[in-house]
Amino acid sequence: MASTETSPDQLFERLTRGDRAALGRAITLVESARPADRDQADALLARCLPLSGKSLRVGITGIPGVGKSTLIDALGMAFIAHRHRVAVLAVDPSSTRSGGSILGDKTRMERLSTQDAAFIRPSPTSGTLGGVAGRTREIIVLCEAAGYDRILVETVGVGQSELAVDRMTDLFLLLMIAGTGDELQGIKRGIMEAADIIAINKADGGQQERSERTRAELKRAVAMLPTRPSGRRAEVVLCSAIQESGIDELRALIEEFGEQDRRSGGLEERRSRQRTHWLQVAIDEALRAEFHNDPSVQEELERLGVAAREGQVSPFQAARRLIARFRKGGAPPP
Ligand code: GDP
C-alpha cells in the first residue's frame, strides 16, 4: 500500500515529475477507505490543488454500445496530436465487472492505452454514487497536477451518474446513434438539457442519411430546451468513431466551447457552483460513513432493523432512535 511505503510528499514529487506509477498509487490512496490512507490522501491533495484547474474537463455519456470507448480512443488521439496530455477516468458505481464492458477499461481503448501522453483509469466498482463521484473529482486534481490537461470522464447514460459527471466537468458530451429515438436510447430529458454537444456516432456505412435525419430532429428538440447556463444551446454533430470522421471537428468544437467559457467567466462560475455542490456531498458522505461505522449504531441497527422490517416500529421512529444513539456515542437508546 502506498501509505506505508511512500510519504505524500514523495508521491507528490514523483507524480509531478510525470511518474505514472506514482500517479496510479496516488489514485489508489485517494480511493482507499482506510482512515490512515485518508489522512495521507488529504495531505497529497493539498499539495496538488494549487497545480490543478488548468485543464479542460469533458464528461462523455451514452448508453452501452453507442461507441464511447471507440470515440474516446479516437478523440484522445486527436487531443494528443495537438500536443495535449489526456487522462480518461470513469464513473460507474453500478458496475459489477460481470458482463458488459468496464468503463475506462484500457483494452477498450487500444491506441490511447499505448500512448505516453495518455493515462486511463477504470471506475472504482464499489461505493455510493456520491462517494465514487467525489473520489473521481479528487482524481481529476491528481491528474491535473501530473500534467494531464484534457480530462475525459466517461459514464453510462442510463442512470444518475451522468448528472454527477456533469457536476465535475466543464463540458458535457452526449453520444447517441441515429434513428432509435431518444426514448429508446434511455436518455432522460435532464441529460439532453445538460449536454453542450450531442454527437451522433456511427454516421457511416448505410447510416449517413438516417444520421442526418436524426440530427435534424435533435436540433429541433434542442431548440425547445432552455439554454445552458453558458447561454448556448447544445450543438448537434455527426461523427464516426471507427472511420474517424468528424472526430477532429468534435475536438475543435470542444476546444472552442472551452475557450468561450474561459473568456466569459462562465467556466469559473460553473466550477465554483460545483465546489459548493461537492462540499455538500462530502458532508453527507462523511456523516453517513461516521454513522454506519459507529459500533453502537451497528449493534442497534441490527435490532431495530428487524423491528422495522416486521412492522413493530416505524422506520422513521427507528431512524430517529438510531440517530439519538449515535449522538450520545454509545449510550443506551431512549
Ligand atoms: P461503448 O459501450 O459505448 O463504449 O461502445 P464501444 O465503443 O465499445 O462500441 C460498441 C460497438 O460499436 C463496437 O463493436 C464498436 O466497434 C462499434 N462502433 C463504435 N463506434 C462506431 C462507429 O463510429 N461506427 C460503427 N459502424 N461502429 C462503431
Side-chain angles (χ1 to χ4, degrees):
M1 194 71 230
S3 58
T4 52
E5 293 165 19
T6 320
S7 72
D9 284 343
Q10 286 168 324
L11 265 183
F12 174 78
E13 299 301 338
R14 286 176 46 196
L15 80 82
T16 49
R17 276 203 313 266
D19 178 339
R20 305 163 69 91
L23 176 57
R25 286 166 71 175
I27 293 175
T28 305
L29 192 62
V30 163
E31 286 175 349
S32 165
R34 288 173 43 194
D37 287 344
R38 190 64 251 177
D39 290 344
Q40 300 225 7
D42 284 343
L44 175 63
L45 285 163
R47 292 210 62 186
C48 289
L49 208 55
L51 299 181
S52 75
K54 295 181 193 88
S55 79
L56 189 59
R57 307 162 181 169
V58 184
I60 299 178
T61 196
I63 56 166
V66 75
K68 290 180 297 300
S69 56
T70 313
L71 180 95
I72 290 170
D73 199 41
L75 187 61
M77 293 302 287
F79 279 123
I80 289 173
H82 283 78
R83 305 193 159 277
H84 290 295
R85 286 163 54 83
V86 180
V88 181
L89 309 174
V91 173
D92 182 15
S94 67
S95 123
T96 56
R97 305 214 165 178
S98 60
S101 44
I102 303 163
L103 293 191
D105 183 2
K106 284 183 194 175
T107 58
R108 295 167 63 232
M109 295 158 198
E110 271 175 23
R111 284 176 305 165
L112 206 55
S113 59
T114 64
Q115 298 293 310
D116 283 340
F119 182 84
I120 302 175
R121 182 84 179 184
S123 173
T125 47
S126 61
T128 61
L129 173 58
V132 170
R135 286 196 289 280
T136 305
R137 261 212 87 196
E138 294 179 326
I139 294 167
I140 290 176
V141 168
L142 298 177
C143 290
E144 290 174 350
Y148 294 93
D149 63 349
R150 293 294 175 269
I151 314 282
L152 308 180
V153 188
E154 179 187 14
T155 191
V156 178
V158 288
Q160 287 298 311
S161 53
E162 52 275 48
L163 295 177
V165 168
D166 182 44
R167 288 197 164 115
M168 68 175 80
T169 50
D170 304 322
L171 292 171
F172 199 54
L173 168 63
L174 170 61
L175 207 55
M176 297 182 84
I177 40 180
T180 47
D182 59 28
E183 64 287 353
L184 281 181
Q185 293 189 39
I187 301 296
K188 298 198 185 75
R189 186 188 150 100
I191 297 157
M192 287 260 294
E193 283 180 8
D196 293 278
I197 301 171
I198 300 175
I200 302 163
N201 190 36
K202 308 197 187 186
D204 50 39
Q207 289 296 310
Q208 265 134 325
E209 224 172 90
R210 278 180 83 198
S211 301
E212 273 298 348
R213 272 205 305 279
T214 303
R215 177 171 187 232
E217 277 165 29
L218 279 170
K219 279 179 94 161
R220 278 197 296 278
V222 162
M224 289 190 288
L225 295 176
T227 53
R228 308 272 297 120
S230 62
R232 286 187 305 261
R233 284 205 163 80
E235 194 85 25
V236 189
V237 300
L238 300 183
C239 65
S240 165
I242 269 191
Q243 293 189 351
E244 293 190 56
S245 62
I247 300 299
D248 199 56
E249 290 81 351
L250 181 58
R251 179 205 58 79
L253 189 61
I254 290 169
E255 295 288 0
E256 186 191 323
F257 281 2
E259 193 48 39
Q260 272 177 17
D261 291 350
R262 204 169 278 136
R263 273 208 224 105
S264 69
L267 186 76
E268 188 41 42
E269 223 172 86
R270 177 169 168 132
R271 287 182 175 182
S272 87
R273 269 199 312 275
Q274 292 175 339
R275 288 192 284 268
T276 304
H277 168 78
W278 290 105
L279 171 65
Q280 285 304 326
V281 172
I283 291 171
D284 292 351
E285 283 294 317
L287 280 178
R288 185 205 300 266
E290 212 169 302
F291 177 81
H292 285 287
N293 288 336
D294 185 313
S296 67
V297 165
Q298 285 170 357
E299 194 187 293
E300 191 65 1
L301 184 58
E302 238 170 76
R303 202 173 64 76
L304 275 172
V306 174
R309 191 174 66 228
E310 292 175 353
Q312 291 152 3
V313 57
S314 98
F316 300 97
Q317 193 187 2
R320 276 198 299 276
R321 277 164 67 177
L322 282 163
I323 287 164
R325 173 94 189 221
F326 175 60
R327 278 210 193 104
K328 287 193 179 142

